Amino acid sequence: MWHASDLFEKTTKQVAGYHITASPEANFSWETFKPQRDAYIRKLNGIYHSNFTKEGVEFHQGRASLVSPTEVRVEPADGSEPYVLNTSQICVAAGGFPIIPSDETIPGANLGITSDGFFELEKQPKRVCVVGGGYIGVELAGMLNALGSQVRMVLRGGRILRGFEADVVKVVEGWMVQQGLTITKEAKVLKVEGQAGEDGEKTVTLSNGETFVVDTIIWAIGRKPHTEGLGLDKLGVNLDQKGNIVVDDFQQTNVSGITAIGDIQGKALLTPVAIAAGRRLANRLFGGPQFAQDKLDYANIPTVVFSHPTIGTVGLTEEQARKKYGDKVKIYKSSFRSLYFSMIEEEHKEPTLYKLVCVGPEERVVGLHICGAGSDEVLQGFGVAIKMGATKKDLDDTVAIHPTSAEELVTMR
């Protein structure tokens, strides 16, 4: 969906600057794109299933619950008789799910959908309210806006992407507004009235007194771990106040033989993180003595927000670094427009901001934060450098690739 919105935005706002004539009236067909997208997802699911068979992995489809540290009860999805699997190790990786407020908390909240419901929409909504300013909220709002929907975001706080580098957030938020997206800050949804379904109008009332009508309201206010009903309480597995499974550095719970990875353990809720943790856990449990201490280092995990423009970030923000290192922090920053936008009308030239957070006389780079076209691809390589402890001099000693945006990271002064 992000690629579709990015391509549509290029077609409608950018190609003319390069004297490329698109069709007289560019149009995105949600109705025909959705089945194609869904078919691709089913194809991927099929590949994973066939990989299970190739690797000799047993696949049991049903509802699982833990009977003991060595037994898992399975209620088959087809309704057949439940059975118990015996094992020496149990890894809980049930993930999480998006939250919708209860109707008791916010009357009419169930008229809205979550990110799951977004992918079930059969047609593109014309008017959308996205509640929440985290990863998911920003990405969905940006995609819908780029595809031509009228989008309003409602935030409890004063900015999107709380916890991200403030300078980068300011640039992206400003560009979202410039491109027609409305952001209402420091407000809460009090109630939602109207009709259910994609065709039903919904009236949203906010705590600041505003009222507006939309076709779709998307709740992007966080996720909860899938820990209920797994039998963890009966075995005494420790959970935190949010219901996440508490694990140590080796993904081990307080009950011997039971581990947990992914969103259900509440740390760094990203698919590649779960994969990386799972690989190391498998190495430690089954890979021999050379992997006895194998574990995932959760520091300096690079991550991308597929906003418009994209954000890439790894390491400490300036605020975090100053709290930790005080006046030992030095900042390098560059704001510019990518060469790609040189031929495009001023109002459609996306901004780019690159920022390095360095510490100490050796100027070790403890944070790298970027936004702008291609930031998602740029970050991966620089993420390796930060993980290896790169200094500002290491970046300076690297010859720039010209003309690229990424060269700014090795030419800052």
Side-chain angles (χ1 to χ4, degrees):
M1 290 301 296
W2 184 87
H3 285 300
S5 64
D6 182 56
L7 187 57
F8 187 73
E9 197 168 44
K10 285 181 167 65
T11 303
T12 56
K13 297 179 179 180
Q14 298 171 12
V15 298
Y18 282 92
H19 297 257
I20 297 172
T21 303
S23 58
E25 190 64 41
N27 177 62
F28 173 69
S29 174
W30 188 294
E31 291 85 348
T32 56
F33 180 75
K34 179 185 181 295
Q36 180 179 321
R37 182 201 68 204
D38 292 349
Y40 178 70
I41 298 300
R42 286 194 298 273
K43 177 183 176 182
L44 291 180
N45 289 339
I47 292 172
Y48 288 127
H49 279 287
S50 60
N51 285 342
F52 286 158
T53 302
K54 291 177 184 177
E55 299 295 334
V57 177
E58 289 186 22
F59 178 72
H60 299 261
Q61 189 165 4
R63 176 76 186 184
S65 58
L66 279 64
V67 179
S68 77
T70 59
E71 296 174 300
V72 177
R73 184 176 187 270
V74 180
E75 298 178 19
D78 61 9
S80 57
E81 194 70 22
Y83 55 90
V84 174
L85 297 172
N86 294 291
T87 179
S88 60
Q89 294 285 339
I90 298 174
C91 180
V92 185
F97 60 93
I99 300 169
I100 290 185
S102 67
D103 278 2
E104 289 73 25
T105 305
I106 301 176
N110 66 355
L111 294 174
I113 61 175
T114 65
S115 53
D116 291 343
F118 168 82
F119 289 103
E120 296 172 0
L121 292 172
E122 296 293 338
K123 59 184 180 181
Q124 182 177 344
K126 294 180 180 179
R127 300 165 297 178
V128 185
C129 172
V130 177
V131 185
Y135 268 91
I136 303 300
V138 169
E139 292 179 345
L140 295 184
M143 284 187 285
L144 287 162
N145 183 64
L147 289 170
S149 296
Q150 179 184 331
V151 182
R152 177 193 290 250
M153 296 185 74
V154 177
L155 314 179
R156 285 187 306 171
R159 52 169 272 188
I160 61 172
L161 298 171
R162 185 165 50 101
F164 281 74
E165 175 56 51
D167 286 341
V168 167
V169 170
K170 184 177 180 181
V171 169
V172 172
E173 188 178 287
W175 184 252
M176 292 171 72
V177 172
Q178 183 176 323
Q179 293 302 296
L181 199 149
T182 301
I183 301 179
T184 302
K185 301 176 180 180
E186 297 179 345
K188 297 179 181 179
V189 175
L190 293 183
K191 62 180 178 178
V192 182
E193 300 170 296
Q195 300 173 315
E198 294 186 44
D199 297 319
E201 287 191 341
K202 298 155 188 71
T203 301
V204 180
T205 301
L206 303 182
S207 57
N208 63 5
E210 288 187 68
T211 300
F212 53 90
V213 177
V214 296
D215 306 301
T216 300
I217 177 169
I218 302 175
W219 297 104
I221 55 174
R223 297 175 65 83
K224 288 186 66 176
H226 265 303
T227 46
E228 290 186 16
L230 293 180
L232 301 173
D233 52 338
K234 296 176 183 177
L235 300 183
V237 176
N238 288 341
L239 307 180
D240 65 17
Q241 292 182 340
K242 295 182 179 180
N244 299 303
I245 297 177
V246 178
V247 298
D248 63 15
D249 291 345
F250 294 92
Q251 310 298 146
Q252 177 66 51
T253 70
N254 63 303
V255 177
S256 180
I258 300 178
T259 55
I261 60 172
D263 290 8
I264 204 164
Q265 46 93 61
K267 293 188 292 187
L269 311 186
L270 300 163
T271 300
V273 173
I275 294 171
R279 284 175 176 164
R280 287 155 180 79
L281 177 60
N283 285 345
R284 182 172 65 82
L285 295 178
F286 309 111
Q290 68 270 35
F291 295 110
Q293 298 301 310
D294 210 6
K295 62 181 180 179
L296 178 63
D297 179 5
Y298 281 83
N300 291 327
I301 292 175
T303 186
V304 165
V305 181
F306 286 95
S307 48
H308 290 255
T310 51
I311 294 172
T313 180
V314 59
L316 302 178
T317 64
E318 179 179 353
E319 181 181 6
Q320 291 167 340
R322 292 197 183 281
K323 284 182 179 179
K324 186 173 183 178
Y325 297 106
D327 59 6
K328 296 179 181 178
V329 174
K330 185 172 183 179
I331 302 298
Y332 294 87
K333 188 162 54 174
S334 176
S335 299
F336 59 97
R337 299 281 172 80
S338 167
L339 178 64
Y340 167 81
F341 293 102
S342 60
M343 299 291 106
I344 294 171
E345 291 183 9
E346 190 65 29
E347 62 179 329
H348 299 314
K349 293 183 177 182
E350 283 186 3
T352 298
L353 173 70
Y354 286 0
K355 183 172 182 176
L356 297 175
V357 181
C358 303
V359 169
E362 75 282 10
E363 294 192 323
R364 180 168 59 91
V365 184
V366 297
L368 184 150
H369 311 280
I370 59 179
C371 67
S375 291
D376 48 324
E377 295 289 353
V378 170
L379 182 68
Q380 186 69 78
F382 282 96
V384 175
I386 304 306
K387 191 71 175 177
M388 294 177 69
T391 64
K392 179 65 168 60
K393 186 178 185 302
D394 291 326
L395 299 185
D396 293 342
D397 288 344
T398 304
V399 176
I401 301 172
H402 182 76
T404 66
S405 294
E407 69 180 297
E408 288 290 323
L409 289 170
V410 298
T411 58
M412 285 189 193
R413 296 290 183 266

